[in-house]
Amino acid sequence: ERLLSRVFVYQEVVEKAAMQQVVSAVQSALVMEYGHRMASGTGTGLSSISNENPMNWLARRPPNYAGEFNNVNPAAIEAGNWVFDKGTSELIYLPNHAEYFVPAKNGIKWIRFHTRLVYESSFKGKGIKMLSGVTFLPVETYQWSIKENE
């Protein structure tokens, strides 16, 4: 029985690591896409980068990418898959092994990510903001507090 419970824990550890690997790949692809657009001139197309599907920037999409949908209904998507919500411009992951996953305040077991442009104030209090970069972060906080030694 103890061995079986450990198998479930390790399945969740592996799933979390795989999800984090995709997030890291998307972050790297985002930085490259941002750099490419900046190098091509005046930042052409940067304003739309936060509405684009980040899976399109990857050299190879993960095998558990289920596609693009309008206004994703989590109940209609198989757990363990990534989807892009065209309505909200969010990349969403729905955990499959989620015993240790604590969802956000709405109670839905999903992790929503969004690309955002980052601006810095400049010109000493003149209220002008300049684009300083991009981020790819969860839309809301969540906890997936599984550890291999639990």
Side-chain angles (χ1 to χ4, degrees):
E1 186 176 313
R2 173 126 170 91
L3 177 61
L4 188 56
S5 70
R6 298 304 303 155
V7 168
F8 294 129
V9 168
Y10 287 127
Q11 285 177 326
E12 197 161 343
V13 167
V14 168
E15 180 180 5
K16 180 182 176 187
M19 184 210 70
Q20 289 171 326
Q21 184 177 21
V22 170
V23 169
S24 292
V26 168
Q27 287 173 332
S28 295
L30 172 62
V31 169
M32 291 176 63
E33 183 67 21
Y34 174 79
H36 170 74
R37 291 182 190 192
M38 290 298 287
S40 69
T42 59
T44 306
L46 276 175
S47 60
S48 67
I49 204 167
S50 62
N51 297 321
E52 295 177 21
N53 182 349
M55 288 293 184
N56 293 336
W57 306 324
L58 298 176
R60 186 176 15 176
R61 293 177 179 163
N64 60 338
Y65 174 63
E68 295 182 353
F69 299 89
N70 283 313
N71 302 312
V72 169
N73 173 1
I77 307 297
E78 187 177 341
N81 283 308
W82 288 94
V83 294
F84 181 73
D85 189 326
K86 294 191 290 188
T88 61
S89 300
E90 295 172 347
L91 188 61
I92 300 169
Y93 183 71
L94 293 103
N96 186 27
H97 303 285
E99 184 177 333
Y100 293 91
F101 181 79
V102 179
K105 52 191 157 198
N106 64 7
I108 299 172
K109 286 194 173 187
W110 64 359
I111 305 167
R112 300 176 304 136
F113 295 90
H114 190 76
T115 301
R116 296 201 195 291
L117 297 171
V118 177
Y119 294 90
E120 285 183 12
S121 295
S122 62
F123 297 103
K124 298 184 179 160
K126 301 245 191 257
I128 298 172
K129 296 198 179 245
M130 294 194 58
L131 181 64
S132 62
V134 290
T135 62
F136 182 72
L137 297 169
V139 171
E140 54 197 359
T141 57
Y142 70 92
Q143 289 183 323
W144 201 348
S145 55
I146 180 125
K147 296 181 182 95
E148 288 184 49
N149 58 359
E150 287 187 7

